[in-house]
Amino acid sequence: MSVSMRDLDPAFQGAGQKAGIEVWRIENFKPVAIPQSSYGKFFTGDSYVILKTIALKSGALRHDIHYWLGKDTSQDEAGTAALKTVELDAALGGRAVQYREVQGHETERFLSYFKPCIIPQEGGVASGFKHVELEEHKIRMFTCQGKHVVHVKEVPFARSSLNHDDIFILDTANKIFQFNGSNSCIQERAKALEVVQHIKDTYHDGKCDIATVEDGKLMSDAETGEFWGFFGGFAPLPRKTATDDTKSVDALPTQLFCVEKGEAESVVADSLTKELLDTNKCYLLDSGAEIYVWMGRNTSLDERKSASGAAEKYLRSIERRKLHIVRVIENFETVAFRSKFDTWPQSAEVAVSEDGRGKVAALLKRQGVNVRGLLKAAPEKEEPQPYIDCTGNLQVWRVNGQEKTLLPVSDQSKFYSGECYIFQYTYPGEDQEEYLIGTWFGKQSVEEDQHSASSQANKMVESLKFMAAQLQIYEGREPVLFFAIFQSFLVFKGGLSDGYKNYILEKELPDETYKEDGVALFRVQGSGPENMQAIQVEPVASSLNSSYCYILHSGSSLFTWIGNLTTPELQELVERQLDVIKPNMQSKLQKEGSESEQFWEILGGKSEYPSQKIARDAESDPHLFTCTFSKGDLKVTEIYNFSQDDLMTEDIFILDCHSSIFVWIGQQVDQKLKTQALVIGEKFLKHDFLLEKLSLQTPIYIITEGSEPQFFTRFFTWDSTKSSMHGNSFQRKLSIIKNGGRPTLNTKPKRRAPVSSHGGRSVATEKPQRSRSVSFSPDRVRVRGRSPAFNALASTFENANARNLSTPPPLVRKPYPKSGAADSPNAAARSNAIASLTATFEQPPPREPLMPRSVKPRPKSPPKSESNSKENLMSSKMESLTIQEDVKENEVEDEEGLTLHPYDRLTTLSTDPAPDIDVTKRETYLSSSEWHFNFSEFQKFRKVD
């Protein structure tokens, strides 16, 4: 498309350079920018052009252009708005999607820009109207429709306007009433309350009362009686009558027209295919609900304006003037447009040059206009983050038919490609422990084991009352979160389960199960010690890649191969993985291009191999969908410009990030439907509603309302108090409005202790198998998930200089401030902590101590003499509570010469008890609550070798 300066309206210069909304009003057939304070205020006699600019993760800017036509705007103004929209698209490089919006029939995408709603005012500028200034409040009534965005329409203030199907808002001088029709749904009632709040803030300066009236309550309360009093008393409501606005046009056949000299000529074809569209022409597609204008890449600006005019003319000829018109450019068609065709090739992403945008930018730059936003921004390079605390406790089970076997700590990061696994990860959350239960399916695993793993994982989630997040993963599609949890991850070929063995026997396939003395080649990958993997691949030269490092072993021979494109960080990971795969063997270094003959001989000879990294699905800009699932049929509706408030507790939502999807389940969703969450996610992947070539093996997360982890909430501006509220969507929203816009705080229910199933019965989870860390420093003192009391103790007695934490230690306020200068700051701090804590120990316990099951109660020892000072008692207690990362064989001393004992030597079952402490009587020094606290803290943090 050729571009000249006469095509560019001066009002559009510099437009679309940053993310956000820009609005112009048509005045005297020219676009005039309006101030940001007036965004969302529309007048019925005017026409507007609205530009929405979105900054994508890739760094590029995407544009959507809308032109809005008030019900009283003139035809000339409407035509000007349509043409100016085409000009604005040309100024932005000719890639924007353009939408025609008619008052009262706006698209949900358009309304999402101006949440909660738009309420057009009478008047106009270009049409000759004067803006109406309200001198005194006039009673108005509105109807509200929509579960996700609200279509607000003013209706006559009369009883005849009411019905049982809709929601109505009555705006009076001192009170705003919301009338909920008996047939209206909960979600629509909740959204209508947002409109009530908007009216209160906009037209009443936030100073008026709010009342809700339920259809059918008659005169049961004062507010209901007051509402009906405005209509002269109660009377039966009429049935809702069908209007032109509610009649469906979806049943009309789809028709294609070619625009020739401003006229639409029908295209006759047996089926609609992309091949019917000529890049040198413009077309109209009438799908019934919308009219699409398709513009070829080689068409001129005048031809595109002519096609826009032909679409307006076509609408008038078929008497459907309120339909949407959507204009799309070749190679930038919307998903909705492509779905109208019988066939549309699934081609690769189109690489479009920057010529159009560059030419416009060059012309504007000559006039001194800042054109930075017209050119594609460089994408920001950043490592994907796991968004999960990596210091939790991990348990892994291998699935064998209908059974599962708990793996020892030494094997829980070693998977086989022919197996299925279940893992449970428990980690510190914001105010309580969080749980993630996942399944991992190897590439060679059998379907029977996959179904069994899913079924058993579902039962584990149900046993936690759906408060655990769930994750389904296929080998080769693991998210960074999974690797961060396992840290060092190995995948061997073959398998050990009966299902795998039976499968290779039936198919007469060779058993490729990894053997330590056999030939094996591992590809090493990852970003660091906290995220490294070794994947066994075919032991042939074609498996090599210049962007990776490899480990090859055959009998007594061990080699490490370093690709020319690898980084020093990746090369360091090879040494770490050698310690796991072959810890007692010395390897021979092989640099790419200088390999030994023995190396190639083991791989069966030289051959060609790739040099580029293996492509992994990148996370794209998220899309949110609401779902309805009935009788195996899944229907979805996209929610634009979404926020946390769009997540309704009665519904199921899917957040699509391309590299993974999240299925969010509201608390009010039917219990049977909750158990089908994974099926819903798989259906979504199969349908691929965005036509983005989603893999059927894309990771699926299942998230339950009220237990949202950070790796889900990061897509929102999240308020945890909203997700913990009780009641349905309407009740919650009403509570927020009546509480001054703040959610009412409800105490979250405490989560049950995690349980594990063994042989069909549920038992308490075993003690944590290990203490996890995101740091490999041998000197690190691991501190995670501590209670405030424990933090106070640790911050006072631990050596601050020895800390090497991945996160800063928590800020601890000392019970009492220091008075005066002390000779020894450490001694003063210790004395203050001891004084405050021993005060609690002196209080007699209100009941018998609660003893853990694994420790038998002992008779209380006689009280110690006064000569044993409180400081000595507390010092002994602190020594027993000190957490050490690596326990040495002999006792160690702290900076003041006090002896520190490993926890294993302080237990009643210790084979080597500490000599100077009577471990059988240590519970006598603690109250019941303190004993329970300390025992649980030790169980949580102690390291099991």
Side-chain angles (χ1 to χ4, degrees):
M1 180 183 68
S2 60
V3 180
S4 64
M5 288 306 301
R6 65 180 179 85
D7 299 324
L8 303 176
D9 195 294
F12 295 145
Q13 292 186 1
Q17 296 190 29
K18 60 181 180 180
I21 297 176
E22 297 170 78
V23 183
W24 296 265
R25 181 168 51 209
I26 302 300
E27 299 181 9
N28 296 323
F29 308 106
K30 294 289 184 181
V32 177
I34 66 174
Q36 188 171 355
S37 59
S38 297
Y39 289 1
K41 297 179 181 179
F42 296 92
F43 291 89
T44 61
D46 290 335
S47 297
Y48 296 80
V49 175
I50 299 94
L51 170 63
K52 173 67 173 180
T53 304
I54 302 171
L56 303 178
K57 281 183 174 290
S58 63
L61 297 177
R62 194 193 79 197
H63 300 99
D64 289 320
I65 309 175
H66 305 253
Y67 61 103
W68 185 88
L69 310 177
K71 64 181 181 65
D72 298 321
T73 191
S74 67
Q75 186 172 329
D76 291 338
E77 281 186 338
T80 300
L83 296 179
K84 290 301 178 182
T85 300
V86 179
E87 291 181 16
L88 177 57
D89 173 53
L92 296 171
R95 302 180 185 182
V97 180
Q98 305 156 47
Y99 301 85
R100 175 182 185 262
E101 310 283 353
V102 178
Q103 179 182 342
H105 301 271
E106 295 86 357
T107 61
E108 291 197 355
R109 183 189 298 271
F110 177 79
L111 291 176
S112 71
Y113 305 154
F114 307 103
K115 290 182 178 180
C117 66
I118 62 171
I119 303 178
Q121 303 177 38
E122 294 292 330
V125 173
S127 58
F129 288 92
K130 292 183 179 180
H131 295 170
V132 178
E133 299 292 341
L134 296 177
E135 297 180 357
E136 60 181 21
H137 192 279
K138 175 185 176 182
I139 295 181
R140 298 182 299 170
M141 190 159 73
F142 306 91
T143 180
C144 299
Q145 297 177 336
K147 293 172 59 175
H148 312 298
V149 293
V150 187
H151 293 263
V152 179
K153 179 181 179 182
E154 186 170 358
V155 295
F157 169 43
R159 185 189 292 109
S160 59
S161 297
L162 300 172
N163 60 63
H164 299 292
D165 300 314
D166 295 327
I167 298 167
F168 296 85
I169 296 175
L170 182 65
D171 179 19
T172 69
N174 300 315
K175 184 176 288 189
I176 303 174
F177 296 87
Q178 175 172 316
F179 175 82
N180 299 322
S182 57
N183 297 331
S184 62
C185 68
I186 295 295
Q187 297 92 322
E188 283 188 315
R189 298 180 184 186
K191 280 296 178 182
L193 280 173
E194 296 179 5
V195 179
V196 170
Q197 184 67 50
H198 172 74
I199 294 175
K200 176 181 177 180
D201 295 338
T202 305
Y203 301 104
H204 297 267
D205 295 328
K207 300 175 183 178
C208 73
D209 296 328
I210 292 175
T212 58
V213 177
E214 298 298 324
D215 183 12
K217 278 194 174 181
L218 300 180
M219 312 292 284
S220 59
D221 60 67
E223 290 181 337
T224 301
E226 185 180 357
F227 172 80
W228 287 113
F230 285 98
F231 298 94
F234 174 79
L237 300 182
R239 290 185 177 180
K240 184 177 181 179
T241 58
T243 64
D244 293 338
D245 297 345
T246 59
K247 292 179 181 178
S248 175
V249 294
D250 292 335
L252 297 175
T254 302
Q255 302 178 66
L256 182 65
F257 301 87
C258 180
V259 179
E260 296 283 355
K261 298 180 180 179
E263 298 294 331
E265 300 178 359
S266 179
V267 176
V268 180
D270 295 333
S271 62
L272 285 178
T273 63
K274 186 177 185 293
E275 288 70 26
L276 295 174
L277 305 176
D278 186 348
T279 188
N280 299 303
K281 296 181 180 180
C282 294
Y283 294 83
L284 302 184
L285 181 70
D286 183 358
S287 65
E290 302 94 6
I291 304 295
Y292 291 92
V293 180
W294 184 90
M295 297 171 281
R297 293 294 301 176
N298 295 333
T299 56
S300 66
L301 182 59
D302 288 336
E303 287 175 321
R304 296 181 183 185
K305 288 182 177 180
S306 177
S308 179
E312 297 280 354
K313 183 178 179 180
Y314 176 76
L315 278 185
R316 293 192 294 269
S317 68
I318 61 177
E319 297 183 352
R320 285 189 281 155
R321 301 188 181 188
K322 296 179 180 179
L323 285 186
H324 303 137
I325 296 179
V326 182
R327 298 196 288 254
V328 296
I329 310 295
E330 182 182 4
N331 295 331
F332 294 93
E333 298 88 353
T334 63
V335 173
F337 176 83
R338 286 181 281 163
S339 67
K340 306 300 180 184
F341 286 74
D342 299 322
T343 60
W344 192 278
Q346 290 280 351
S347 58
E349 290 293 329
V350 180
V352 181
S353 68
E354 294 284 332
D355 287 347
R357 191 182 296 259
K359 289 179 181 179
V360 175
L363 290 170
L364 295 179
K365 189 173 182 179
R366 293 173 190 169
Q367 295 190 346
V369 178
N370 183 359
V371 297
R372 179 184 56 179
L374 295 180
L375 299 176
K376 183 178 179 178
E380 296 181 4
K381 294 183 179 180
E382 57 180 16
E383 287 290 333
Q385 301 298 318
Y387 296 100
I388 193 170
D389 188 308
C390 299
T391 61
N393 299 312
L394 178 66
Q395 289 180 295
V396 182
W397 294 264
R398 182 172 60 241
V399 175
N400 186 5
Q402 299 303 313
E403 299 179 352
K404 69 179 190 290
T405 304
L406 180 66
L407 299 182
V409 174
S410 58
D411 293 338
Q412 64 183 13
S413 292
K414 300 175 182 179
F415 284 18
Y416 285 85
S417 189
E419 306 282 0
C420 294
Y421 296 84
I422 301 173
F423 64 91
Q424 176 173 303
Y425 183 59
T426 307
Y427 59 98
E430 182 180 350
D431 55 0
Q432 56 195 348
E433 284 193 327
E434 304 284 348
Y435 308 112
L436 175 62
I437 295 175
T439 53
W440 185 91
F441 302 151
K443 290 181 179 179
Q444 300 172 294
S445 62
V446 297
E447 190 173 345
E448 177 188 355
D449 286 348
Q450 293 179 8
H451 289 317
S452 174
S454 296
S455 175
Q456 294 186 66
N458 288 338
K459 291 178 181 178
M460 294 171 68
V461 174
E462 289 181 37
S463 69
L464 290 170
K465 296 185 177 180
F466 297 95
M467 289 189 292
Q470 191 173 354
L471 173 60
Q472 176 177 283
I473 304 171
Y474 285 86
E475 179 186 352
R477 295 276 178 174
E478 297 90 349
V480 65
L481 173 145
F482 175 83
F483 288 144
I485 291 174
F486 281 81
Q487 298 181 355
S488 177
F489 185 66
L490 275 73
V491 178
F492 300 113
K493 296 178 70 69
L496 307 174
S497 68
D498 296 335
Y500 172 76
K501 293 178 180 178
N502 293 335
Y503 174 78
I504 60 175
L505 286 176
E506 291 176 4
K507 300 294 183 179
E508 297 182 351
L509 299 174
D511 188 356
E512 299 179 330
T513 302
Y514 171 76
K515 296 180 177 60
E516 291 187 1
D517 57 350
V519 178
L521 179 66
F522 293 88
R523 183 180 69 246
V524 178
Q525 61 192 38
S527 60
E530 305 87 1
N531 176 5
M532 57 180 183
Q533 304 89 46
I535 312 298
Q536 186 178 0
V537 296
E538 289 293 328
V540 293
S542 59
S543 296
L544 299 176
N545 188 310
S546 301
S547 296
Y548 296 94
C549 297
Y550 290 80
I551 296 173
L552 173 66
H553 72 72
S554 174
S556 60
S557 301
L558 178 64
F559 300 90
T560 56
W561 186 85
I562 308 299
N564 287 334
L565 301 180
T566 58
T567 62
E569 292 78 13
L570 183 59
Q571 296 169 19
E572 181 185 348
L573 298 185
V574 175
E575 297 300 322
R576 292 177 177 268
Q577 293 291 15
L578 277 174
D579 292 338
V580 179
I581 298 174
K582 290 291 183 180
N584 300 319
M585 291 182 63
Q586 186 67 31
S587 67
K588 300 177 182 178
L589 178 62
Q590 306 284 304
K591 292 187 178 180
E592 183 178 5
S594 59
E595 299 87 351
S596 65
E597 290 295 331
Q598 184 185 8
F599 176 83
W600 291 121
E601 183 180 345
I602 295 175
L603 293 180
K606 295 182 180 180
S607 68
E608 295 292 329
Y609 54 82
S611 60
Q612 295 183 347
K613 278 192 173 184
I614 300 173
R616 296 182 64 89
D617 288 338
E619 184 175 279
S620 64
D621 296 275
H623 296 261
L624 184 67
F625 299 85
T626 180
C627 308
T628 55
F629 186 67
S630 177
K631 299 180 180 179
D633 184 28
L634 178 65
K635 296 181 180 179
V636 301
T637 302
E638 184 170 2
I639 299 176
Y640 305 101
N641 298 293
F642 61 84
S643 67
Q644 181 185 357
D645 290 336
D646 291 310
L647 300 176
M648 297 288 191
T649 186
E650 297 82 13
D651 293 330
I652 296 176
F653 293 82
I654 292 180
L655 187 69
D656 179 6
C657 306
H658 185 69
S659 61
S660 57
I661 66 170
F662 298 80
V663 182
W664 184 90
I665 311 293
Q667 290 286 2
Q668 302 288 329
V669 170
D670 182 74
Q671 198 73 11
K672 292 183 179 179
L673 204 54
K674 287 183 179 181
T675 61
Q676 301 184 65
L678 198 56
V679 176
I680 293 173
E682 292 172 342
K683 288 277 187 181
F684 182 87
L685 294 178
K686 182 178 180 181
H687 285 290
D688 192 13
F689 292 97
L690 290 179
L691 304 180
E692 54 180 337
K693 304 177 187 176
L694 277 177
S695 169
L696 295 179
Q697 296 183 352
T698 299
I700 301 175
Y701 294 86
I702 309 298
I703 309 295
T704 302
E705 182 186 14
S707 303
E708 294 89 349
Q710 185 189 6
F711 52 81
F712 174 78
T713 60
R714 66 188 177 95
F715 297 102
F716 303 81
T717 301
W718 196 261
D719 183 352
S720 58
T721 57
K722 289 183 178 179
S723 62
S724 63
M725 294 181 69
H726 300 310
N728 59 40
S729 298
F730 173 72
Q731 293 167 338
R732 295 182 185 187
K733 188 70 67 175
L734 184 61
S735 175
I736 291 175
I737 289 179
K738 291 191 174 183
N739 194 38
R742 299 182 303 276
T744 53
L745 299 178
N746 291 317
T747 303
K748 284 188 177 181
K750 292 185 178 180
R751 297 187 174 180
R752 293 174 51 188
V755 295
S756 308
S757 297
H758 298 276
R761 65 186 182 89
S762 297
V763 297
T765 302
E766 298 178 4
K767 298 176 182 179
Q769 298 185 23
R770 63 174 176 172
S771 179
R772 300 176 54 79
S773 168
V774 295
S775 173
F776 276 72
S777 171
D779 300 325
R780 173 178 172 180
V781 179
R782 285 178 177 154
V783 180
R784 59 171 183 78
R786 294 177 170 183
S787 65
F790 199 93
N791 283 329
L793 295 173
S795 65
T796 304
F797 291 93
E798 287 179 0
N799 182 4
N801 297 325
R803 287 184 177 271
N804 182 22
L805 307 181
S806 60
T807 55
L811 176 65
V812 180
R813 299 180 183 273
K814 296 189 177 181
Y816 300 100
K818 293 183 180 180
S819 56
D823 295 335
S824 175
N826 290 336
R830 184 185 299 274
S831 178
N832 288 337
I834 291 172
S836 62
L837 289 167
T838 50
T840 62
F841 296 155
E842 294 172 349
Q843 298 176 2
R847 56 181 178 179
E848 289 299 318
L850 298 175
M851 308 302 295
R853 295 180 182 177
S854 60
V855 181
K856 295 181 180 180
R858 304 281 185 179
K860 291 187 177 182
S861 61
K864 297 200 174 184
S865 64
E866 293 294 335
S867 60
N868 291 333
S869 67
K870 297 178 181 177
E871 288 194 14
N872 290 334
L873 173 61
M874 287 304 304
S875 178
S876 175
K877 284 171 57 57
M878 292 314 306
E879 290 163 5
S880 68
L881 285 172
T882 302
I883 302 173
Q884 297 296 327
E885 169 66 21
D886 297 301
V887 180
K888 299 181 180 179
E889 294 182 1
N890 300 320
E891 294 88 3
V892 297
E893 295 183 349
D894 67 0
E895 59 185 0
E896 297 185 8
L898 300 177
T899 303
L900 303 178
H901 299 287
Y903 175 77
D904 290 340
R905 301 192 63 190
L906 301 179
T907 63
T908 56
L909 302 179
S910 175
T911 58
D912 183 23
D916 52 347
I917 294 180
D918 186 355
V919 295
T920 64
K921 297 180 180 180
R922 64 182 179 132
E923 63 267 25
T924 63
Y925 309 131
L926 306 176
S927 69
S928 60
S929 60
E930 290 157 353
W931 161 253
H932 182 72
F933 157 74
N934 283 294
F935 183 84
S936 62
E937 288 289 342
F938 277 118
Q939 289 292 82
K940 188 174 183 182
F941 296 117
R942 76 184 185 94
K943 177 180 179 182
V944 180
D945 295 324

